[in-house]
Amino acid sequence: MSRFKFLLVATCCCSILFGTQAQAQYTLTVEASTPVAALGTTYRFYVDMNDPTDRMSAIFGNDQAPLEINAPSGAFNSSFNASWSASGINPAFLGFFPDMADDTYATIGLDGPASASTIVGAADPSIVEDSAQPITPFFATDGATTLLANTLTGASYYVLNTAGNGLPDANLRVLVLQITSTGCVNGILNYQVFPLGVGADQVQISMPFDCTGTFGGSTGVAGCMDVTACNYDATATTDDGSCLIPTGCDYCSNGTVANGDSDGDGICDNAEIPGCQDPTACNYDPIYTDDAGNCFWAADNGWCDCNGDILDALGVCGGTCASDADGNGVCDDAEILGCMDATACNYDATATQDDGSCAVNDECGVCGGTGIPASDCDCNGNQLDALGVCGGLCTSDADGNGVCDDAEILGCMDATACNYDAATTQDDGSCDYCSCAREAVAYTLTVEASAPAAAAGTTYRFYVDMTDATDRMSAIFGNDQAPLEINVTDGAFNSGFNASWSASGINPAFLGFFPDMADDTYATIGLDGPA
């Protein structure tokens, strides 16, 4: 089994950071508050960002970096949130069921459904988890005490880099978890951050926490702790990111980095070879890396090359042509006379000088000819027949349908008739519309009507009828080739308690309180509630 795919793509060539500068940069803050209606304390977990463009990517756990949450006194989970995340905290129900606000849920930057958020581009988080060790029960079971993801496959909940709720709030932090419990909570939270929103620079942090506070802050003596750096500080206990490490030609000098490539050409000063570096010069040599100012050129001596040659009449260096009177680039003693117009019928590709003999083909392909006689329709002396065919044999087409009278085929030309004949060219009035049976459609559509549970009017349910138990419904679609159109003249009823466009928002826990949710207008494939 391969490791959880989301993390493989995002963490290529990287590792989990423990106790490093990156960990100090993206700390974890756990705040406690009094629940709205439940017992105990509500703990909110925030990842602290450094820049407004930093993006929160994912919470994850696997065998290399276990994700662990312990709530010894049990976590409160409201029965009115049917989801593992904040997407099930429908704000329309909070006035009726206030303890929904105290629910234990996973999130990235949201405390309710993305559709109810004011954040531009907000998206509900997605989750993947090992079926042998799922983490969603912790967010669905009232009194749950443990969340653990430490298998090879692991688990993660995440948003894409385009989600607006991945960006920090005005306090430069992103909400990632809420737990309500009557006691403290502790564990290890693993999170992935994209600094300045750049996925390629992603940082992954494994942060232990215990109850409340800010975890991961720097302590001790700050300084450079890299012994290879020019400013290494043996007394430092916390690396502050100030290390000056020479690379390439650079070297350490008096505690700082000195430039070992003064001209910036990528070649160290002690490896430079002086000489002529201009490829157009006679004394150029590619081995030279530093210009010595000693280049010379053939033009300085009146030559056309570095061998002492001069140009001939054709501009050839060292050539033998003495004259080119017309300046066409062909030596006078090598000219070939002929027609040089490529559109002429007697064009001579070998000619180098035009002699005025060019001609053109007439309509019959005769070079210099006079064309087709006015009485003919081609170069063979033929005339048009009744169908306008040059040299054709048709003498009459009375109905002008493009079929010669002696070639007409009589019959029924209506494609909707039982005796329609595609070979017919002239309709003889014999069409029959009643003698044939129509074959049934394989996958029919059934629309059933019933009385609504609470709303006014009629509830219509649309079913696609299959022909076999193994048939599968795939999609409802529409485009410019096959338009999708639904018309509701008197208007469609939509319940204010379904925050979704589909049946996923019809939470069965609320139907007893808001029966008209069952009458809501929604799209679905095989479901009348959340999957």
Side-chain angles (χ1 to χ4, degrees):
M1 180 183 294
S2 63
R3 176 158 297 165
F4 165 53
K5 183 176 181 182
F6 172 81
L7 291 178
L8 278 178
V9 173
T11 65
C12 177
C13 302
C14 299
S15 61
I16 308 303
L17 304 176
F18 299 91
T20 65
Q21 181 189 7
Q23 189 171 2
Q25 289 174 343
Y26 298 103
T27 55
L28 177 69
T29 296
V30 184
E31 295 182 350
S33 62
T34 302
V36 175
L39 298 176
T41 302
T42 296
Y43 300 93
R44 281 200 159 197
F45 294 68
Y46 297 90
V47 173
D48 304 308
M49 301 298 190
N50 300 313
D51 189 271
T53 63
D54 292 342
R55 282 186 177 272
M56 181 65 199
S57 170
I59 300 296
F60 66 92
N62 52 42
D63 58 341
Q64 301 298 311
L67 171 64
E68 182 177 355
I69 300 175
N70 299 306
S73 300
F76 170 72
N77 277 288
S78 170
S79 61
F80 296 107
N81 181 2
S83 174
W84 56 272
S85 72
S87 66
I89 310 296
N90 191 329
F93 299 126
L94 289 175
F96 302 97
F97 311 104
D99 69 359
M100 285 182 66
D102 307 324
D103 186 62
T104 294
Y105 57 78
T107 185
I108 292 185
L110 298 170
D111 58 5
S115 60
S117 170
T118 59
I119 299 173
V120 177
D124 293 321
S126 300
I127 192 168
V128 290
E129 56 186 345
D130 189 341
S131 60
Q133 190 191 49
I135 65 173
T136 49
F138 182 78
F139 303 107
T141 305
D142 191 31
T145 59
T146 303
L147 180 152
L148 180 64
N150 65 353
T151 65
L152 178 66
T153 300
S156 175
Y157 59 88
Y158 59 93
V159 294
L160 299 181
N161 204 10
T162 55
N165 46 300
L167 294 170
D169 60 17
N171 297 317
L172 285 182
R173 60 185 190 175
V174 179
L175 178 67
V176 297
L177 179 66
Q178 175 171 299
I179 300 174
T180 296
S181 178
T182 56
C184 269
V185 294
N186 63 77
I188 300 175
L189 205 63
N190 306 313
Y191 45 93
Q192 177 169 277
V193 177
F194 294 159
L196 305 182
V198 180
D201 296 337
Q202 51 81 30
V203 174
Q204 294 169 358
I205 299 168
S206 186
M207 187 66 67
F209 65 91
D210 189 4
C211 219
T212 60
T214 296
F215 304 93
S218 301
T219 59
V221 178
C224 175
M225 300 179 66
D226 190 333
V227 295
T228 66
C230 298
N231 60 332
Y232 167 65
D233 184 355
T235 66
T237 60
T238 302
D239 196 305
D240 62 0
S242 65
C243 293
L244 302 175
I245 301 175
T247 59
C249 297
D250 295 345
Y251 57 92
C252 290
S253 176
N254 298 321
T256 186
V257 176
N259 185 5
D261 179 16
S262 57
D263 59 4
D265 63 355
I267 300 174
C268 299
D269 291 343
N270 59 5
E272 296 277 15
I273 302 175
C276 177
Q277 289 188 289
D278 190 329
T280 66
C282 290
N283 60 333
Y284 163 74
D285 194 313
I287 67 169
Y288 299 132
T289 63
D290 203 12
D291 195 270
N294 62 340
C295 296
F296 72 88
W297 289 264
D300 297 339
N301 304 307
W303 304 335
C304 58
D305 61 24
C306 291
N307 298 320
D309 293 320
I310 61 174
L311 300 177
D312 70 356
L314 297 180
V316 177
C317 188
T320 59
C321 181
S323 175
D324 177 19
D326 57 5
N328 67 346
V330 179
C331 200
D332 290 344
D333 58 8
E335 294 280 14
I336 300 174
L337 301 178
C339 175
M340 297 182 67
D341 186 346
T343 65
C345 56
N346 61 334
Y347 167 66
D348 183 355
T350 65
T352 62
Q353 192 169 45
D354 198 283
D355 62 359
S357 64
C358 294
V360 295
N361 285 331
D362 66 3
E363 295 175 87
C364 296
V366 178
C367 190
T370 58
I372 302 172
S375 59
D376 298 338
C377 60
D378 61 21
C379 295
N380 298 320
N382 292 314
Q383 286 81 41
L384 298 175
D385 69 356
L387 297 180
V389 177
C390 187
L393 302 177
C394 181
T395 60
S396 175
D397 177 18
D399 57 4
N401 66 347
V403 179
C404 200
D405 291 345
D406 58 8
E408 295 280 12
I409 300 175
L410 301 180
C412 176
M413 296 181 71
D414 188 341
T416 65
C418 298
N419 61 332
Y420 166 68
D421 185 353
T424 299
T425 63
Q426 192 169 45
D427 197 300
D428 61 359
S430 65
C431 291
D432 168 25
Y433 300 92
C434 302
S435 64
C436 54
R438 300 286 179 172
E439 183 178 346
V441 177
Y443 297 101
T444 57
L445 177 70
T446 296
V447 183
E448 295 183 351
S450 63
T458 303
T459 297
Y460 298 94
R461 283 199 160 196
F462 295 70
Y463 298 87
V464 174
D465 306 306
M466 303 299 187
T467 61
D468 189 90
T470 62
D471 292 343
R472 282 183 177 272
M473 181 63 193
S474 170
I476 300 298
F477 67 94
N479 53 41
D480 60 342
Q481 302 298 312
L484 171 63
E485 182 177 358
I486 300 175
N487 297 307
V488 186
T489 305
D490 295 329
F493 170 73
N494 278 285
S495 170
F497 298 105
N498 181 1
S500 175
W501 57 273
S502 71
S504 65
I506 309 298
N507 190 330
F510 298 127
L511 290 175
F513 301 96
F514 310 102
D516 70 357
M517 285 181 68
D519 306 325
D520 186 64
T521 295
Y522 58 78
T524 185
I525 293 183
L527 298 171
D528 57 5

